[in-house]
Amino acid sequence: MKLFYHTGKYFLLLKRVFGKPEKISVYYKQILHEIDSLGIGSLGLIAIISVFMGGVITIQSAYNFTSPFIPLYAVGLGTRESIVLEFSPTIISLILAGKVGSNIASEIGTMRISEQIDALEIMGINSAGYLILPKIAAAMFINPFLIVISMFLGVLGGYVMGVATGACTSYEYIFGIQSFFVPFNIYYSLTKTIVFAFIITSVAGYQGYYTSGGALEVGKASTRSVVYNSILILIMNLVITQIMLVG
Amino acid sequence: MIEIKNLNKAFGDRKVVNDVSFVFETGKTNLVIGESGSGKTTILKMMVGLHVPDSGDVEYDGRSFTHSSEKEKQEVRKEIGMLFQGGALFDSLTIEQNVAFPLDMFTEMSSEEKTERVNFCLQKVNLEGRNKLYPAELSGGMKKRAALARAIANNPKYLFCDEPNSGLDPKTSLVIDALIKDVTLEFGMTTVVITHDMNSVMEIGQNILFLYKGNMWWQGNNKEILTTDNQEILDFVYASEFLKQLKPRK
Ligand SMILES: Nc1ncnc2c1ncn2[C@@H]1O[C@H](COP(=O)(O)OP(=O)(O)OP(=O)(O)O)[C@@H](O)[C@H]1O
Ligand SMILES: [Mg+2]
């Protein structure tokens, strides 16, 4: 029952979020600001994680491909496919759900309990739209770039660490990452990324917007946003994969 | 003129506001007074639509507010300035950006005009030169004053102040009271001030609503309040032994 209640309330909030903005120029400025804080602000974290994960994926692949029937360029190929299909869009999105999602929920939650949202409402501003829409728009715009960067760095990390540890040779790896390339996979990945970006920002916005009480509840809202976001991302990952790769 | 008619509000089964009606007059500073927890903030929030009354109505110059659509409410709200009890400044923005916020949102002013208006408002509340500070860098009283500057920035028709003086020293209090009274008169605003500060009552109490446990208990002005024989008011006005000695005898 509670699930239906929150689902309904969530969609009602979305309706308000996409209501007519008071002033386009103000929203535009907000979107640029959010691109900077949500997107560019996450770049460092994503870069580090991608390089290391790419390296580990390469080493593990090489470790597992011991059969003489598997050519060694499969290491590069496997690394690329894991990163493009799953690691960058899904795992990085889960990490962003933790970083960006909890950030959004606690920021908006704090604005709720300190009456800043009431102050917006009193001025005649659609507070849901003003606070949440720029974040959704910014994330849906910038996350695909973050994910492409993550893919690139992941494959690069694989190369550097694979060659450095002797897991594969430079020639094999580069040959591997160039073989059997299917452009549709990138399209599939970025579609996932954009859907996840929407989920992360809107669910975190919802949790923050309906915070009530004090600092304790802000903390709880932030935790809830990470939990629900992770679950929703995993479910949507399954759905999109079934539709786009199988169906 | 803002008229509240038979407002009722309960939180759970605790009745907080009980059938309160009152007329807040234009060009006057209208006060809502009463002890802590008597329902003052709740009434104010019902007046601006942050709480929905269980029954009753609020009218802004004859326009019904409580039962109007969200869109009509927004139109009325664009004419409202409000000072929250806790200030409610946007903490991601500087003082200057806070005060300019309603101007950014609802006017087509050039940035020079905005700067001029912002400085004018900040100077009115004795915060000139503090433009670039963030709310976290202000004292409690300074936050109040900055929030008041934001409330009056866009020349509202209706001004609501929830305890503008709490946390201020007596001298700054007087400055703020005088400011509220001046802008009200000068721009013909309808101003509603919540307070439990007797100094303010004497300074700007042109039309007073006294609440007692959520009930409308007494109404009048700052002259009448000194001579009433209503016991709850006497307890409120002459709270201290010192003040009791000053009570005029009939
Ligand atoms: N959101 C709420 N939920 C439940 N009870 C509330 C809520 N807001 C206020 N109350 C209760 O309503 C009563 C009146 O509160 P209100 O804030 O209107 O008092 P007040 O007159 O403004 O007091 P003060 O001078 O201390 O600010 C209080 O007993 C309070 O506990
Ligand atoms: Mg109060």
Side-chain angles (χ1 to χ4, degrees):
Chain A
M1 274 322 287
K2 244 184 151 171
L3 179 69
F4 289 118
Y5 171 78
H6 282 292
T7 312
K9 207 166 153 194
Y10 169 77
F11 281 107
L12 285 178
L13 177 68
L14 282 188
K15 202 177 131 204
R16 287 185 52 206
V17 167
F18 290 101
K20 192 170 156 285
E22 284 74 30
K23 210 168 171 186
I24 303 288
S25 62
V26 176
Y27 274 61
Y28 181 68
K29 267 211 320 246
Q30 284 295 102
I31 291 177
L32 289 184
H33 171 75
E34 298 296 352
I35 286 178
D36 183 44
S37 86
L38 301 182
I40 313 300
S42 308
L43 205 53
L45 178 69
I46 289 176
I48 294 172
I49 294 175
S50 304
V51 169
F52 279 88
M53 286 300 287
V56 171
I57 291 172
T58 302
I59 295 170
Q60 285 183 350
S61 309
Y63 172 75
N64 281 304
F65 295 163
T66 46
S67 157
F69 296 109
I70 303 179
L72 264 179
Y73 73 82
V75 172
L77 176 65
T79 304
R80 185 197 73 207
E81 288 303 280
S82 313
I83 286 176
V84 167
L85 289 175
E86 203 52 28
F87 170 73
S88 286
T90 309
I91 305 297
I92 293 290
S93 289
L94 282 171
I95 286 164
L96 287 177
K99 181 175 185 285
V100 171
S102 66
N103 178 318
I104 291 176
S106 54
E107 176 188 332
I108 297 182
T110 304
M111 292 188 74
R112 164 63 75 194
I113 63 163
S114 60
E115 296 185 314
Q116 293 174 49
I117 292 185
D118 289 343
L120 285 171
E121 287 289 318
I122 292 301
M123 291 178 192
I125 292 166
N126 169 5
S127 60
Y130 176 76
L131 293 176
I132 303 176
L133 186 59
K135 295 189 198 297
I136 294 180
M140 289 175 78
F141 171 77
I142 196 72
N143 282 19
F145 290 97
L146 295 180
I147 297 308
V148 168
I149 293 174
S150 157
M151 289 173 182
F152 177 76
L153 291 176
V155 172
L156 184 72
Y159 175 78
V160 173
M161 296 200 197
V163 173
T165 59
C168 59
T169 67
S170 163
Y171 171 77
E172 283 161 352
Y173 189 86
I174 290 178
F175 182 78
I177 59 175
Q178 289 171 335
S179 5
F180 305 111
F181 181 69
V182 186
F184 179 79
N185 288 354
I186 301 273
Y187 174 67
Y188 153 81
S189 276
L190 294 184
T191 307
K192 290 209 292 192
T193 302
I194 292 173
V195 172
F196 297 161
F198 179 83
I199 293 176
I200 294 171
T201 43
S202 62
V203 170
Y206 171 79
Q207 293 296 345
Y209 197 80
Y210 289 112
T211 306
S212 63
L216 199 62
E217 277 75 15
V218 174
K220 284 185 188 157
S222 153
T223 308
R224 266 200 310 273
S225 107
V226 177
V227 173
Y228 292 139
N229 265 326
S230 308
I231 296 172
L232 283 171
I233 286 176
L234 292 176
I235 293 175
M236 284 313 286
N237 188 29
L238 198 65
V239 172
I240 296 173
T241 305
Q242 176 66 26
I243 292 174
M244 290 185 73
L245 294 192
V246 185
Chain B
M1 178 185 90
I2 311 173
E3 190 172 359
I4 56 177
K5 294 177 173 168
N6 307 99
L7 284 184
N8 280 288
K9 180 78 185 173
F11 289 111
D13 45 14
R14 200 154 49 97
K15 190 114 204 200
V16 173
V17 173
N18 192 11
D19 206 31
V20 175
S21 303
F22 194 69
V23 174
F24 299 90
E25 295 170 30
T26 304
K28 282 191 184 175
T29 42
N30 303 273
L31 262 50
V32 180
I33 63 174
E35 59 191 37
S36 181
S38 55
K40 306 182 293 293
T41 300
T42 308
I43 287 192
L44 198 71
K45 288 196 171 170
M46 286 196 282
M47 290 178 74
V48 296
L50 288 175
H51 284 326
V52 184
D54 297 337
S55 66
D57 196 6
V58 179
E59 282 182 7
Y60 284 81
D61 291 312
R63 293 174 288 178
S64 166
F65 180 74
T66 304
H67 303 289
S68 63
S69 70
E70 200 54 37
K71 209 166 163 348
E72 288 167 320
K73 280 198 180 117
Q74 277 197 2
E75 287 312 308
V76 173
R77 281 169 167 176
K78 285 175 189 164
E79 301 172 349
I80 291 180
M82 177 155 173
L83 167 61
F84 282 79
Q85 192 162 359
L89 292 167
F90 303 124
D91 38 37
S92 58
L93 305 180
T94 62
I95 298 312
E96 173 176 79
Q97 289 166 332
N98 262 286
V99 178
F101 191 86
L103 307 176
D104 289 337
M105 272 298 189
F106 299 116
T107 70
E108 298 300 332
M109 284 185 183
S110 69
S111 56
E112 291 80 40
E113 285 170 317
K114 276 188 235 170
T115 311
E116 193 179 323
R117 178 73 193 160
V118 167
N119 287 336
F120 173 79
C121 293
L122 285 179
Q123 180 240 320
K124 282 263 181 199
V125 296
N126 280 338
L127 279 177
E128 62 269 71
R130 307 300 177 97
N131 301 39
K132 304 288 180 203
L133 294 180
Y134 282 90
E137 300 170 312
L138 300 184
S139 72
M142 287 160 85
K143 278 185 200 151
K144 269 270 157 70
R145 286 184 278 149
L148 181 61
R150 183 180 69 185
I152 61 173
N154 201 13
N155 270 329
K157 227 167 131 181
Y158 313 101
L159 179 63
F160 295 87
C161 302
D162 197 345
E163 302 197 5
N165 290 325
S166 66
L168 296 185
D169 60 279
K171 195 165 150 238
T172 316
S173 269
L174 285 178
V175 173
I176 295 297
D177 282 343
L179 167 65
I180 291 174
K181 197 170 165 182
D182 287 351
V183 292
T184 302
L185 200 63
E186 192 177 342
F187 300 106
M189 294 176 183
T190 308
T191 300
V192 180
V193 179
I194 294 185
T195 184
H196 34 213
D197 177 33
M198 271 315 289
N199 276 325
S200 301
V201 174
M202 298 322 295
E203 288 292 326
I204 58 172
Q206 297 173 320
N207 183 29
I208 303 173
L209 163 63
F210 179 81
L211 288 177
Y212 183 70
K213 298 201 167 140
N215 295 290
M216 126 123 236
W217 209 251
W218 181 87
Q219 65 183 83
N221 60 34
N222 50 4
K223 308 220 166 45
E224 292 156 352
I225 201 168
L226 291 175
T227 54
T228 174
D229 21 297
N230 187 310
Q231 191 55 45
E232 282 73 26
I233 296 194
L234 292 177
D235 290 347
F236 181 84
V237 176
Y238 301 107
S240 74
E241 289 301 321
F242 173 69
L243 282 172
K244 275 183 192 141
Q245 292 167 8
L246 299 182
K247 180 168 164 22
R249 285 169 221 287
K250 284 199 195 148

